[in-house]
Amino acid sequence: MHSYLDLVGQFLVYTLSETLDGKHILEIQLENPFKAILLTLMHLGNLGKLTIMKFFDYSYYRICDFYKKKKDSSAEMTSSLVISLMQFFTVLDLFILVRVFWEYPIPGNFSKYWFLPLIIIFPIINWNRYVKAKKYREYRGVWKTETGKEKRKKGWRIILYLILSIAIPILYGIIKQNLIEGKSFFG
């Protein structure tokens, strides 16, 4: 029996390639599912001006700045954990979006503990990236000169991203179980 990641990987395997003008494009190929998930996460936002990692860096800065203004002594760690939550829900959203368009079977031995490694790994990675490396001061130097209008606009993007990334799994569950009674979305 194939593992859950193999089933997802058979449908959603992305490899990164570059065109002559340097823009990134994603091509679907049937390859390694772990590579697919990793590359999807790494290059999810690379199609616009703001990469997904810069978005998380900026989100870390703004969340940390918010807690520092409240005189919270653990602002960096709290911000790192919020970023971990955002990243976890991003991965969960990817699985759900694939499930909406391709109703793959969930293995009989599937357990909610399959996501436990992500719940553990994201905070460790973010602690090393942000808290241990003391990135807040660096980011403050980059973004402290923003105008009030830019701050509001980007702040709303962070809030909207957080709300949507949490709402997608909730809405999926409500629609799937209550409105279409467990059937596939497209038939």
Side-chain angles (χ1 to χ4, degrees), residues 113-166:
Y113 300 112
W114 285 28
F115 279 107
L116 193 58
L118 291 178
I119 294 171
I120 293 170
I121 290 172
F122 281 143
I124 292 170
I125 291 170
N126 288 322
W127 180 81
N128 279 317
R129 179 176 173 84
Y130 297 118
V131 180
K132 185 179 177 186
K134 300 189 185 303
K135 290 287 191 169
Y136 175 74
R137 290 183 186 192
E138 177 185 328
Y139 295 151
R140 183 161 171 75
V142 172
W143 288 305
K144 73 178 179 181
T145 58
E146 283 183 314
T147 65
K149 185 178 179 181
E150 287 176 325
K151 279 186 176 182
R152 279 189 300 279
K153 184 178 178 182
K154 290 180 181 178
W156 279 110
R157 285 182 186 167
I158 294 168
I159 292 169
L160 182 64
Y161 183 86
L162 189 57
I163 291 170
L164 284 176
S165 65
I166 293 172

Side-chain angles (χ1 to χ4, degrees), residues 11-163:
F11 175 73
L12 179 69
V13 179
Y14 292 108
T15 57
L16 184 70
S17 63
E18 291 187 16
T19 60
L20 292 175
D21 58 353
K23 293 182 181 175
H24 294 105
I25 59 173
L26 295 174
E27 298 174 345
I28 298 175
Q29 296 179 355
L30 294 175
E31 287 182 7
N32 184 343
F34 296 105
K35 183 178 177 183
I37 293 168
L38 181 64
L39 287 174
T40 301
L41 291 175
M42 287 173 49
H43 301 290
L44 183 63
N46 247 2
L47 300 176
K49 290 181 182 178
L50 186 65
T51 65
I52 194 74
M53 287 311 295
K54 283 185 183 175
F55 174 76
F56 286 132
D57 292 346
Y58 182 76
S59 299
Y60 171 80
Y61 162 70
R62 288 294 300 273
I63 294 165
C64 193
D65 198 48
F66 172 79
Y67 281 107
K68 283 198 176 278
K69 287 179 183 174
K70 292 189 170 277
K71 308 275 189 235
D72 186 350
S73 62
S74 61
E76 289 92 354
M77 189 63 195
T78 304
S79 304
S80 175
L81 290 174
V82 171
I83 297 302
S84 298
L85 179 74
M86 290 170 69
Q87 291 168 340
F88 174 76
F89 275 106
T90 300
V91 171
L92 185 61
D93 292 344
L94 288 173
F95 281 112
I96 288 172
L97 290 174
V98 169
R99 180 114 174 138
V100 166
F101 293 105
W102 182 59
E103 192 73 26
Y104 54 85
I106 296 178
N109 64 351
F110 179 76
S111 169
K112 61 186 170 196
Y113 300 112
W114 285 28
F115 279 107
L116 193 58
L118 291 178
I119 294 171
I120 293 170
I121 290 172
F122 281 143
I124 292 170
I125 291 170
N126 288 322
W127 180 81
N128 279 317
R129 179 176 173 84
Y130 297 118
V131 180
K132 185 179 177 186
K134 300 189 185 303
K135 290 287 191 169
Y136 175 74
R137 290 183 186 192
E138 177 185 328
Y139 295 151
R140 183 161 171 75
V142 172
W143 288 305
K144 73 178 179 181
T145 58
E146 283 183 314
T147 65
K149 185 178 179 181
E150 287 176 325
K151 279 186 176 182
R152 279 189 300 279
K153 184 178 178 182
K154 290 180 181 178
W156 279 110
R157 285 182 186 167
I158 294 168
I159 292 169
L160 182 64
Y161 183 86
L162 189 57
I163 291 170

